[in-house]
Amino acid sequence: MQSATNTRCTNSTVMSCVSNPDSLEIFQPAPLFGRDNELLELKDSYQRIKDGNSFEKVMVHGNSGTGKTSLVLALQESVLLDGGLFCSGKYFQNTKQEPYSAIMTAFSDLCDLVLQSDGFDEVQRARIEKSLGSDGVLLVNAVSNISTFLGDRIQDACCSSLSQQSFPLARFKVACKRFIRAMVSDDCPVVLFIDDIQWMDNGSRQLLEAILQDEQITNFMLIMAYREEESSLIKDDFFTLAKADVDLKLGNIDLQSVQEMISERLEDVSNGILFDVDELCRIISHKTNGNPLHILKFLEMIKEDGLLTFDDDSWSWTCDLDEIQKNTMIPDSVAEIISKKIERLDKHLQDFLKLASLIGYRFTHEMIFDIATEINGKGSKKDGPLNLDML
């Protein structure tokens, strides 16, 4: 079974050189730098689940901005090209989440990918239905499209939300483990990525523990990522139980990787660089301590402040190194970096981001448009109607 492209999980941004490089968002997270060894370890782990029918447990951890998510998503392309499936879910801080939310999101992705796969037919559907058994109905209200695999058993499903369903937790754990075993196969291994597990709910922790101990699961790779500075939120016995086959701790990148990162981004959209780029790299490496996210945001900041500019006549970058060295400081936290970036946006665009934040980290153009239309219709916006032309 060949996998379809999972557009919801794809996180690579390809930078194209068009008429005006100075107007481009050229500092998007793209190729990884300084993570070759870690990416190779992930690829080796994936190869083991493909070749040896094994269950690989992987932990990726490091401070905020070190590129944990980007590293894992860099594995996605290799998995898809190899005929495997890659799905993901993420936990959030200070939000009211449905129990097991990130895991159920990943399960929903997996259902969609299997249904979209080349060669999926009634034989495949029947095999999955048999593997799920009668417990599959427990997941109907949490996992989109799973009903396709349940056949006549769908009549047994209740209509309440997952948090309102009444059934033994042990049975629910069994249903989730059977789901994983049903979706994997020798010719189609599965990688499931759960991000920011430091914010997972207690039920999710118990479910992950049950999955981690299932010796019948094969052709499966479970990757869990967490922030090093908030690891105390995860109980110690969870790490003991997980027994990670691969444990990757990401630190900041070295000066050489900083130079590669910055030089590639500038040189890709110009004929040359009209300043000492190595000096800029040394300044940025010092001010950001080599934190990849801080480096990208620092570049955006000096560009927006006019300290790094693109010259149309020479088709080259120019830079005020003295001013950057003396007066430019990177904010202390990722939250502050993002906040400052949002403050620079158009007022209407800020309004739409506020709407998106009410939905979550996954939303469609249509969702935002419908909410904005509803707000305008009720006249509840103090500063006047939202500008729908922005959409």
Side-chain angles (χ1 to χ4, degrees):
M1 181 168 62
Q2 296 298 311
S3 63
T5 301
N6 183 2
T7 56
R8 287 190 295 172
C9 287
T10 300
N11 195 38
S12 60
T13 304
V14 180
M15 180 177 64
S16 59
C17 302
V18 289
S19 58
N20 183 13
D22 194 38
S23 67
L24 294 176
E25 281 290 335
I26 64 166
F27 304 127
Q28 297 291 340
L32 289 174
F33 293 90
R35 304 298 187 206
D36 293 346
N37 292 335
E38 291 87 350
L39 182 56
L40 181 60
E41 286 199 58
L42 289 181
K43 289 181 178 180
D44 287 344
S45 181
Y46 172 73
Q47 197 64 38
R48 287 193 292 272
I49 72 167
K50 179 186 176 186
D51 297 340
N53 296 327
S54 63
F55 177 6
E56 290 277 314
K57 299 102 173 177
V58 179
M59 286 287 188
V60 180
H61 50 106
N63 290 332
S64 301
T66 50
K68 301 177 293 297
T69 303
S70 296
L71 171 65
V72 177
L73 292 176
L75 175 68
Q76 181 184 359
E77 182 178 1
S78 297
V79 173
L80 297 179
L81 289 174
D82 197 55
L85 299 177
F86 184 103
C87 54
S88 65
K90 177 181 176 67
Y91 288 103
F92 295 92
Q93 184 181 27
N94 299 327
T95 59
K96 186 177 180 180
Q97 304 175 95
E98 277 281 301
Y100 322 106
S101 59
I103 303 172
M104 296 304 109
T105 296
F107 282 5
S108 296
D109 272 352
L110 189 51
C111 279
D112 292 343
L113 288 172
V114 170
L115 290 170
Q116 297 165 14
S117 298
D118 297 337
F120 179 77
D121 54 20
E122 177 57 25
V123 174
Q124 293 282 357
R125 193 208 64 77
R127 179 191 66 79
I128 293 173
E129 178 185 354
K130 182 178 179 180
S131 298
L132 286 171
S134 59
D135 288 332
V137 297
L138 300 180
L139 304 177
V140 166
N141 297 295
V143 180
S144 64
N145 284 337
I146 195 174
S147 57
T148 305
F149 304 108
L150 297 178
D152 295 337
R153 291 190 178 94
I154 189 61
Q155 303 301 324
D156 300 329
C158 56
C159 300
S160 59
S161 69
L162 184 60
S163 59
Q164 296 173 322
Q165 291 185 37
S166 178
F167 46 76
L169 178 59
R171 188 181 171 200
F172 178 69
K173 292 178 181 177
V174 169
C176 291
K177 292 188 291 185
R178 295 187 73 167
F179 173 85
I180 294 173
R181 295 197 295 265
M183 293 298 176
V184 301
S185 63
D186 291 344
D187 62 342
C188 187
V190 170
V191 176
L192 189 150
F193 172 40
I194 303 296
D195 203 1
D196 283 324
I197 63 170
Q198 74 274 1
W199 295 322
M200 64 183 168
D201 57 277
N202 189 55
S204 294
R205 180 183 61 81
Q206 294 181 51
L207 177 54
L208 284 176
E209 288 175 350
I211 293 171
L212 288 164
Q213 295 179 85
D214 191 336
E215 296 180 354
Q216 298 182 55
I217 294 177
T218 60
N219 303 108
F220 185 65
M221 182 176 179
L222 175 60
I223 307 176
M224 296 167 284
Y226 65 90
R227 292 185 179 182
E228 190 74 33
E229 66 268 33
E230 298 182 80
S231 59
S232 60
L233 298 175
I234 308 172
K235 294 185 177 180
D236 291 338
D237 58 351
F238 179 81
F239 295 112
T240 303
L241 195 64
K243 296 179 181 177
D245 301 292
V246 177
D247 187 274
L248 300 176
K249 180 176 180 178
L250 302 188
N252 294 331
I253 60 176
D254 59 21
L255 177 59
Q256 180 179 345
S257 298
V258 174
Q259 291 171 329
E260 292 173 357
M261 175 187 291
I262 294 176
S263 297
E264 178 168 309
R265 279 160 172 73
L266 298 182
E267 290 172 354
D268 276 353
V269 291
S270 70
N271 290 330
I273 300 174
L274 303 181
F275 61 91
D276 186 351
V277 69
D278 287 340
E279 179 60 22
L280 175 64
C281 293
R282 283 190 288 271
I283 294 172
I284 293 178
S285 180
H286 175 72
K287 288 180 176 287
T288 63
N289 292 317
N291 182 289
L293 178 60
H294 287 193
I295 292 168
L296 293 173
K297 296 309 176 185
F298 192 93
L299 282 169
E300 287 183 0
M301 186 169 62
I302 60 176
K303 177 173 173 285
E304 291 168 356
D305 290 344
L307 302 177
L308 176 65
T309 59
F310 188 82
D311 183 77
D312 292 327
D313 294 330
S314 61
W315 202 254
S316 301
W317 290 100
T318 60
C319 183
D320 189 338
L321 292 174
D322 290 338
E323 183 65 21
I324 293 172
Q325 174 73 288
K326 294 176 182 177
N327 299 319
T328 305
M329 296 300 295
I330 191 74
D332 292 332
S333 68
V334 174
E336 189 178 353
I337 292 172
I338 301 302
S339 295
K340 287 185 177 297
K341 184 172 179 60
I342 292 175
E343 289 172 1
R344 295 171 182 263
L345 298 176
D346 178 271
K347 178 64 170 60
H348 290 293
L349 187 53
Q350 290 185 39
D351 289 337
F352 286 119
L353 287 176
K354 292 175 183 177
L355 292 180
S357 71
L358 298 175
I359 300 171
Y361 81 112
R362 290 186 178 191
F363 53 86
T364 65
H365 175 280
E366 289 76 15
M367 289 179 185
I368 303 297
F369 187 89
D370 290 345
I371 294 175
T373 302
E374 182 74 12
I375 289 175
N376 284 345
K378 292 182 177 180
S380 58
K381 184 75 172 62
K382 292 182 180 179
D383 301 327
L386 290 163
N387 180 10
L388 296 181
D389 292 337
M390 291 285 293
L391 293 175

